Amino acid sequence: MSPPAASLACRQVVFVRDRRRVLDDVSLTVSAGEVVSLLGANGAGKSSLLRIMLGLLRPQAGEVRLDGRPLPRWSAPARARRMAYVPQTHVASFPYTVEQVVALGRLPHAGLGRALGGEDREAVQAALQRMQVFSLARRDYTSLSGGERQRVLLARALAQQAPILVMDEPMTALDYGHQVRMQALLRELASEGYAILNTTHRPDEALQVATRAVLLQHGRLIADGPPQQVIDAGSMSALYGVALTQLDASAQRFFTHRP
Amino acid sequence: MSRSTDRPDFDDLSARPGHQRRIGIWIAALAMLAAVSLGTLGLGRYPVSPHEVLLALLGRQDSPALSVLRMVVIEVRLPRLLAAALVGAALSVAGASYQTVFRNPLVSPGLLGVLSGSAFGAALAIVLAAHPLWVQAAAFAGGLTAAAVGLGIAGALRSGNVLALVLGGLISDALFSSLLSLVKYVADPQNQLPAIVYWLLGSLAQVGWDDLDRFAVPLALGTGLLCAGGRLLDALSLSDDEARSLGVPVTALRLAVIALATLISALTVSVAGIIGWIGLLVPHMARLLVGAGHRQLLPLSAVIGAIVLILADTCARSVSAGEVPLGIVTQLFGALGFALVLRRLRQDAS
């Protein structure tokens, strides 16, 4: 898409809130072609790390680099053309149509003043088609199911045409069928050169979709590597504080609770 | 995702079935505005036929009969019509902007305390026996002060956050409401108190060309600027994180929109006193017609707001021999209208 291969990296990030170290010396890199899944218990600092990577929070120490350049040195629209955010939920207070929601992804390209041009409209249509929400284009976003909403939000990010996607629990609202399709889509996007950072609550999901898994515990990064190595009964039991046994069967790994 | 079921024609979107409907809505709204305007120039205690209205507006030849017509139509009714249209449009656009910025469809321009601040300013000027011009100025200044206090409290709580703004507005509103009560309490009950009460009920009865000279341009300018910022308001309807990740400078834009909307709200109070419900109700009507996209919503809100307030003002001055305060009319019909709109929204949701 854009000439330099996309990368998003943070180095030695420290984030303190109310005198608590939410993130402590965290370093993480996401490059083109990767799907990096961030795992951690509630309160481990996943959301804070995501928001810091997006430039929505400023760390007290350490820095975030987008394509090798420190994040604060990017202008807001330029940054938005390189990096898109897919929130877990989008609260719609007003009855925007699906098409209008997706078209907001063109803001970093068209700016606030100009109307959408032909290129913008093409990007919107391509994103609607790719996420299979084209037939919903005129529907009211507020009338959609959770799974449809999630696909619309991803369509907005695709319309943004940014090579880095930061996604907050993209699977949580989806039914099983859409989860499977979403996993395939994320891998497909990565193979096209997107760099994807996502959070998840489910180890099996990370095993399916991620090219790398990163474990975050009490604000510290305790493991970073291929999912099959990082995610096993030992690490998951420690991470979530439950006793788990693992079951490997034909390249798949399952976990069960060991009481 | 490789299902290929929903892939309609590419041309489908450019054909835009909604597009034609929108054009129809705009034609209907503008035609209605024109009809209502002509109608109201003829209506009143001195009835004038539509033909005579046009004669008075366009005619040049001087005959005694025509000069009476011109007096009634151009010196009395026309400024009032224009004021009603401007105030209605401004309140509606300000209301729609407030609703978006606070991401809450039940918000009205009074949220930040503008209206109670203006009321306090006007009441204070009346008690100090100031010239009517000073009453207008004090109303304007009071509104802006109240909004500034609301914003200041929000800033002290935590900058820019929507909830902080709501709380700041709540406190400022309460503060200036109590100050207004205090002024009413010390006012002379023989003539000052009635003057305050009547002023607060809202009216366009005293509006003449000299008022329009002062208010028309800033009101139209502020309303027009907000209407032009439609896409900006679309962006502000997103959560802060989403908007920022789309490269939108949320805090600055939100303050700018609040400042503009507050400015024109305070101006309307200076012109017409407190006209309730328009700013809350009209955006809902417009949203039902053209949806939430602000590039359509704001201009249509302006047109509908103008129509509604012209109608309300015509009611106010022609229902009985005496003048009914405009604020009472808008409150009465506003409450009924809002019930209808909510019913419609319910039906749409189910």
Side-chain angles (χ1 to χ4, degrees), chain B residues 39-50:
Chain B
T40 194
L41 287 177
L43 271 175
R45 307 219 57 210
Y46 183 95
V48 184
S49 74

Side-chain angles (χ1 to χ4, degrees), chain A residues 167-209:
Chain A
M167 311 173 83
D168 194 5
E169 295 183 30
M171 315 281 183
T172 307
L174 303 182
D175 67 32
Y176 183 71
H178 281 305
Q179 278 183 13
V180 172
R181 284 194 205 96
M182 180 69 84
Q183 287 168 0
L185 179 84
L186 293 190
R187 299 204 76 128
E188 201 179 298
L189 289 171
S191 71
E192 288 168 21
Y194 277 92
I196 299 173
L197 173 64
N198 72 302
T199 59
T200 177
H201 275 302
R202 302 183 56 88
D204 45 335
E205 194 182 289
L207 281 167
Q208 291 292 326
V209 70

Side-chain angles (χ1 to χ4, degrees), chain B residues 201-226:
Chain B
L201 286 174
S203 170
L204 287 167
Q206 307 300 326
V207 173
W209 283 111
D210 52 333
D211 296 290
L212 279 172
D213 284 347
R214 280 194 298 278
F215 294 112
V217 171
L219 263 183
L221 206 66
T223 310
L225 270 176
L226 283 174

